[in-house]
Amino acid sequence: MDIGIAADFNLSDFVAAHEGKDQLRLITCGSVDDGKSTLLGRLLWETQMVADDQITALGSASRRHGTQGDAMDLALLVDGLAAEREQGITIDVAYRFFTTDKRRFIVADTPGHAQYTRNMATGASTADLAILLVDARTGATPQTRRHALIAASLRVRHAVVVINKMDLVEWSEARTREISESARALCDGLGFESVVVIPLSALDGENVVHRGGSCGWYTGPTLLEHLETVPVLPARPSPFRMAVQWVNRPDPSFRGLAGEVSGSPVRVGDSVTILPAGQTAKIARILGQDGDVAVAHAGTAVTLLLDRPVDVSRGDVLADPAQLAQVGRAISARLLWYGDTPGAVGDRFLLKLGTRTVTAKITSLVGRVSLDTLEIEPATTLAPNDTGDVVLTLERPIAYDLYSESRSMGGFVLIDPETFDTVALGLVQAAARVPVAPSDSHTRSLAKAVSYRALGSIATATIAWAYTGNLGASLAIGGVDAVSKMAIYFVHERLWDRISFGKAKHP
């Protein structure tokens, strides 16, 4: 098969022919050895996206590390790390590009091993569609369910359940129906917009790009046919945001705010609000890569100059004044926990959202998501690869959006302050209240006064008896001391409760 690049290949013509197509970002995920890399390699091979030098390198790698005898091992097209080829597993996220006459694709091949689940979440964070591979012999595993949960939590909209290795179960229609029913129940419960089940053999290529003759009972689309036709609607427009990465001051007359635009475009003359401070100014200039521009779109790195001096520093957020981000010191969040040490109430971390890093503490652990029922169950800790809901309290206010409204301003990471390892991926679900210690009621103040003075008066009477030897006089001294000082203590407590000096300030 000659899949090499032609001698008269023109890059400009190639780009022009494909730039008008829409684009689908997808992820392949599932358990170890379910065939994710082989499936992606088959897609690249069948869509003729393998260059001559890659074919030569693939042949050499197949002879050294291949698992298919003398045949080409297509999984090695994406298992690029030496450790991956030696172990026969995917470790890192491999991003690949391919295109057809109908659509462009960016696909992330992610690891299936539980140890590398965090890498799978990285790939899912930008995907529109998840290909969930299931081995036809074993069906869905706990890791399959975990990957489906993570993909749904990260707002991946479409799911394709691929029942792979159908050749090893003789293309059994009954086995396909059994796996399909359980997979649909799982995906429907997680809220994917669409769920499609496709039986195939990535090794042989049947039902990947072309139909095979082994399953005449299957009338649905091939995998590529579905990928080319699944709706790719633009995301719901989100308000303008720009997290300030750097304040650029080459000289006293220039103060530029550098960062990447997200959400709606921003134009010269637009008003922006700087959060969390809340000051407002207008955009005087927008500097792009090649100089001044009139408008900056999402994904563009720019430097903004404001029309007046405003105190802005790294980590602040520029936002649309008509649709402000939320600002607060406490958030309810879903955590995808990857730390080696379990997370528990009271643990402190560094929280990084956008370009802002603040100290955060877990003040409440709502519960853990059960992989069996997908419901929240009680838990005291979050173990590695657990998904759970918590309340976090921050040392100072930050600007944020809900993850359901903005991936860029609603997602964060938690970092161990000692090792600087990333221990969790977080998704903001709602604002929360900062816990405030309740003040004493009148009844509590009175009870404290009675108990304190009772102990004090007993001590006074005992000391008087030791000195005088007169029990009656000692009891009288203790009684007078109890009544007088109890009244003084009560008045003292109520007065201090009215004084604001030294009290912690809470929003």
Side-chain angles (χ1 to χ4, degrees), residues 450-471:
V450 170
S451 63
Y452 177 78
R453 285 320 312 160
L455 292 174
S457 298
I458 291 172
T460 299
T462 302
I463 294 171
W465 182 35
Y467 273 94
T468 65
N470 188 328
L471 180 60

Side-chain angles (χ1 to χ4, degrees), residues 64-83:
R64 293 196 306 271
H65 307 293
T67 60
Q68 307 303 322
D70 295 332
M72 292 281 196
D73 189 346
L74 297 181
L76 299 181
L77 281 173
V78 289
D79 284 345
L81 299 177

